[in-house]
């Protein structure tokens, strides 16, 4: 059985397909049809809902995240508060809804419910923090919502009007009636959600499969030992595409998101330890502080809806050759912790990827965490993502380069790429062309030429093999030009990052 709240009302489910998405549940089981299906792959944002979780910093309040309901399983609602567009308006429209009307921001209307819900989560956070969102935050919140009528100008105007009202006022126009009546942050509901969080969550239908959500590492170890064929799920932003796009039925899902040990970020004397179920949203502040280039990349990883659910361990475990984080982790010399009933073994991430979608993970193991060792203070980290869109797109090529220079000599380097092979991979031959040599144009030219020995990329819908080879070499050259010119890769603001990344095709 799973328990959660839906638009302020308690819900209990014990007989529902574990593969069912939240979107399907809303539309077919609850007749809440305000939430729309557009792409069924987490790209368009029409299905966006708000999912509330108890705020770890203030347990008496709930933090709401915008999420793609088309690729989130219904079991993930256990201990949460699900809010849909159907419930926002009370005696009067929610401020976001009213602003959308006032600024003529709804055209065909199909995408409008998802846009409203993304702006709703931003609006709610502004009032909780008593701070109006910046333009960057506004753009970021809407990065996963596509308007096929191309009506972004009035949508942004509506968001600004609704979310930039003075959050310190309690006037009817500033605080939605739902807030005023307390159902979004009702203390009794918060207490109930805390109770539910301690309860076991399981769904099982004989003809549809099983869903488990263990709370401890020991429970997870036993489940992996007893059910090695089960699929692990955290954000589900990739795995659920097998259900929505390939129409597969996954017989057994094991949810990792309720295990606290997998959601910890720990600063150790020799490096950074990150739990496998840590989301991109939680990762962004600490990685941005240590490596600004990684922070800039995370702004482009999926959308706000994807970053609210997607996890570091999931990005590694799905073994995609075009995942954004593995090349960065390879460049940083990360080490994986692989856990099971046999104990924990540590494996350099370079050795984890064996072939296309094949890894060194044993059937009964799971990724427990990632350790990133402290870097040489002289090391530079450059990260470049080349894709057709700025937001919510997959890389054609991603380059992550760690370079250590001493008196102008390259004393160490790790050049890692995504999109250039069947796996995320280092360019060992190109590295050899740089180590021990001056960081100059001649060495860079040799490294660029050596990439032909490291990779034989394929052509696909994202890029041709020739394009990938050309761009991969130019990224090394770009790193050199930025270094020698003193113009470091900009990452301090989102608009600057957008401009910078838009020109990585050159």
């Amino acid at each position: 059985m799973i328990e959660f709240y839906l638009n302020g009302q308690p819900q209990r489910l014990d007989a529902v397909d574990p593969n069912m998405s939240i979107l399907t549940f809303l539309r077919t089981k609850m007749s809440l049809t305000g939430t729309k299906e557009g792409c069924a792959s987490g790209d368009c944002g029409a299905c966006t809902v708000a999912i509330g979780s108890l705020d770890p910093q203030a347990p008496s309040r709930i933090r709401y995240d915008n999420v793609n309901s088309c690729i989130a399983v219904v079991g993930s609602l256990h201990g949460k508060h699900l809010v849909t567009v159907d419930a926002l308006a009370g005696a009067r429209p929610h401020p976001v809804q009213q602003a959308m009307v006032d600024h003529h921001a709804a055209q065909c209307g199909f995408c409008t419910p998802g846009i409203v819900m993304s702006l709703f989560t931003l609006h709610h956070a502004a009032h909780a923090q008593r701070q109006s969102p910046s333009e960057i935050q506004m753009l970021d919140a809407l990065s996963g919502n596509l308007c096929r009528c191309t009506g972004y100008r009035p949508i942004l105007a509506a968001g600004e009007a609704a979310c930039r009202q003075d959050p310190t006022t309690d006037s009817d126009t500033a605080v939605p009636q739902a807030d005023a009546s307390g159902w979004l942050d009702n203390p009794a509901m918060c207490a109930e959600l805390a109770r539910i969080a301690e309860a076991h969550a399981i769904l099982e239908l004989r003809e549809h499969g099983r869903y488990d959500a263990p709370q401890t590492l020991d429970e997870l170890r036993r489940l992996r030992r007893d059910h090695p064929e089960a699929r692990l799920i955290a954000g589900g932003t990739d795995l659920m595409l097998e259900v929505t796009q390939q129409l597969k039925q996954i017989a057994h899902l094991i949810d990792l998101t309720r295990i606290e040990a997998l959601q910890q970020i720990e600063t150790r004397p020799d490096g950074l330890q990150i739990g496998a179920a840590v989301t991109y949203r939680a990762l962004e502040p600490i990685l941005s502080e240590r490596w600004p280039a990684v922070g800039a990349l995370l702004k482009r990883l999926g959308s706000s809806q994807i970053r609210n659910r997607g996890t570091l361990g999931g990005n590694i475990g799905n073994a995609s050759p075009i995942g954004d984080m593995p090349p960065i982790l390879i460049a940083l010399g990360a080490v994986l912790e692989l856990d099971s009933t046999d104990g924990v073994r540590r494996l350099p991430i370079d050795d984890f990827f064996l072939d296309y979608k094949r890894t060194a993970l044993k059937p009964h193991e799971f990724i427990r965490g990632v350790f990133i060792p402290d870097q040489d203070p002289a090391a530079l980290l450059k990260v470049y993502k080349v894709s057709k869109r700025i937001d919510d797109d997959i890389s054609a090529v991603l380059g992550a380069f760690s370079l250590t220079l001493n008196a102008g000599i390259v004393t160490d380097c790790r050049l890692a790429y995504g999109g250039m092979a069947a796996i995320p991979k280092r360019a060992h031959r190109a590295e050899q062309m740089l180590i021990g040599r001056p960081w100059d144009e001649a060495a860079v030219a040799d490294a660029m030429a050596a990439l032909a020995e490291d990779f034989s990329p394929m052509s696909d819908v994202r890029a041709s093999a020739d394009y990938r080879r050309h761009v991969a070499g130019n990224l090394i050259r770009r790193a050199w030009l930025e270094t020698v010119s003193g113009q470091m890769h900009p990452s301090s603001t989102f608009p600057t990052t957008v401009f910078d990344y838009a020109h990585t095709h050159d």
Side-chain angles (χ1 to χ4, degrees), residues 265-344:
I265 303 175
E266 179 185 357
T267 301
R268 295 181 178 177
D270 55 346
L272 189 65
Q273 181 71 30
I274 304 170
V278 172
T279 64
Y280 302 126
R281 172 177 175 157
L283 270 178
E284 187 177 336
I286 191 166
L287 293 188
S288 297
E289 181 180 356
R290 289 187 173 225
W291 301 287
V294 181
L297 181 279
L298 287 174
K299 289 290 187 184
R300 294 192 59 203
L301 196 157
S303 61
S304 60
Q305 290 96 320
I306 296 297
R307 293 191 295 274
N308 283 333
R309 288 189 60 81
T311 63
L312 183 62
N315 202 226
I316 298 167
N318 71 16
S320 171
I322 47 178
D324 284 340
M325 289 305 295
I328 297 172
L329 296 173
I330 291 172
L332 292 173
V335 177
L336 302 182
E337 287 188 347
L338 309 179
D339 201 334
S340 70
T341 51
D342 295 335
V344 178

Side-chain angles (χ1 to χ4, degrees), residues 17-22 24 37 39-41 70-73 208 231 233 236-251 253:
D17 179 2
N19 287 258
M20 181 180 289
S21 70
I22 293 173
T24 300
E37 178 176 283
C39 64
S41 59
C70 68
I71 54 172
V73 290
H208 291 291
R231 305 290 296 276
I233 186 170
T237 57
D238 184 75
L239 178 60
M240 279 299 290
L241 299 185
E242 295 185 19
V243 177
T244 63
Q245 301 294 299
Q246 302 175 35
L247 305 182
K248 290 183 178 179
Q249 187 77 15
I250 301 175
L253 291 167

Side-chain angles (χ1 to χ4, degrees), residues 143-196:
S143 63
N145 292 93
L146 301 182
C147 174
R148 304 190 192 283
C149 300
T150 66
Y152 295 110
R153 186 200 57 76
I155 292 168
L156 289 170
E160 181 176 5
C163 295
R164 290 193 175 179
Q165 295 169 8
D166 181 4
T168 63
T169 180
D170 288 329
S171 71
D172 287 342
T173 58
V175 178
Q177 191 163 21
D179 277 340
S181 62
W183 70 267
L184 285 175
D185 293 298
N186 185 293
M189 181 169 64
C190 291
E192 268 298 286
L193 292 180
R195 178 195 66 78
I196 293 170

Side-chain angles (χ1 to χ4, degrees), residues 47-380:
C47 69
T48 301
V49 296
I51 295 184
S53 307
L54 292 178
D55 190 336
Q57 310 302 322
S60 62
R61 290 191 64 84
I62 298 176
R63 188 192 76 196
Y64 290 90
D65 295 327
N66 55 329
V67 166
N68 293 310
S69 63
C70 68
I71 54 172
V73 290
V74 70
S76 65
L77 292 174
H78 188 72
K80 310 292 185 183
H81 181 205
L82 171 62
V83 179
T84 71
V85 70
D86 313 81
L88 286 194
R92 60 179 65 88
H94 186 279
V96 168
Q97 294 172 312
Q98 188 61 55
M100 292 285 287
V101 173
D102 294 342
H103 291 268
H104 307 285
Q107 296 185 57
C108 79
F110 196 86
C111 65
T112 302
I115 290 169
V116 167
M117 294 312 297
S118 286
L119 290 176
F120 159 76
T121 60
L122 190 65
H123 181 274
H124 188 269
H127 282 271
Q129 300 164 8
R130 307 189 75 79
Q131 181 178 355
S132 295
S134 66
E135 181 182 2
I136 298 170
Q137 291 170 318
M138 186 80 65
L139 292 169
D140 190 49
L142 290 169
S143 63
N145 292 93
L146 301 182
C147 174
R148 304 190 192 283
C149 300
T150 66
Y152 295 110
R153 186 200 57 76
I155 292 168
L156 289 170
E160 181 176 5
C163 295
R164 290 193 175 179
Q165 295 169 8
D166 181 4
T168 63
T169 180
D170 288 329
S171 71
D172 287 342
T173 58
V175 178
Q177 191 163 21
D179 277 340
S181 62
W183 70 267
L184 285 175
D185 293 298
N186 185 293
M189 181 169 64
C190 291
E192 268 298 286
L193 292 180
R195 178 195 66 78
I196 293 170
E198 301 298 320
H200 188 71
I202 184 170
L203 288 173
E204 187 168 14
L205 280 182
R206 186 180 301 275
E207 68 274 24
H208 291 291
R210 174 176 171 176
Y211 169 94
D212 283 285
Q215 293 176 283
T216 67
L217 288 174
D218 281 341
E219 287 182 76
L220 176 56
R221 291 182 187 115
R222 289 193 293 268
L223 281 168
R224 288 299 283 159
R225 179 196 62 200
D226 298 341
H227 305 279
E229 77 292 345
R231 305 290 296 276
L232 301 181
I233 186 170
T237 57
D238 184 75
L239 178 60
M240 279 299 290
L241 299 185
E242 295 185 19
V243 177
T244 63
Q245 301 294 299
Q246 302 175 35
L247 305 182
K248 290 183 178 179
Q249 187 77 15
I250 301 175
H252 191 179
L253 291 167
I254 300 177
D255 191 328
L256 309 180
T257 57
R258 301 184 66 219
I259 302 175
E260 187 175 352
L262 298 182
Q263 301 186 54
Q264 301 298 313
I265 303 175
E266 179 185 357
T267 301
R268 295 181 178 177
D270 55 346
L272 189 65
Q273 181 71 30
I274 304 170
V278 172
T279 64
Y280 302 126
R281 172 177 175 157
L283 270 178
E284 187 177 336
I286 191 166
L287 293 188
S288 297
E289 181 180 356
R290 289 187 173 225
W291 301 287
V294 181
L297 181 279
L298 287 174
K299 289 290 187 184
R300 294 192 59 203
L301 196 157
S303 61
S304 60
Q305 290 96 320
I306 296 297
R307 293 191 295 274
N308 283 333
R309 288 189 60 81
T311 63
L312 183 62
N315 202 226
I316 298 167
N318 71 16
S320 171
I322 47 178
D324 284 340
M325 289 305 295
I328 297 172
L329 296 173
I330 291 172
L332 292 173
V335 177
L336 302 182
E337 287 188 347
L338 309 179
D339 201 334
S340 70
T341 51
D342 295 335
V344 178
R345 67 180 178 113
R346 291 168 175 80
L347 185 71
I349 192 169
D350 306 47
D351 301 329
F352 181 73
F353 303 104
L354 303 179
D355 203 345
Y356 180 72
K357 290 287 187 174
R358 190 165 69 87
T359 71
L361 195 68
K362 297 176 182 177
H364 62 294
E365 287 183 323
F366 59 91
I367 301 172
R368 175 173 175 167
V370 181
F371 177 72
I372 305 176
D374 282 338
Q375 305 298 298
D376 187 321
L380 303 173

Side-chain angles (χ1 to χ4, degrees), residues 1-6 9-16 25 30 74 78 192 195-196 203:
M1 180 179 69
I2 65 168
E3 297 180 76
F4 60 97
Y5 276 73
L6 170 60
Q9 299 301 313
Q11 306 289 326
R12 293 186 178 185
L13 299 178
D14 56 8
V16 66
F25 168 73
M30 304 304 294
V74 70
H78 188 72
E192 268 298 286
R195 178 195 66 78
I196 293 170
L203 288 173

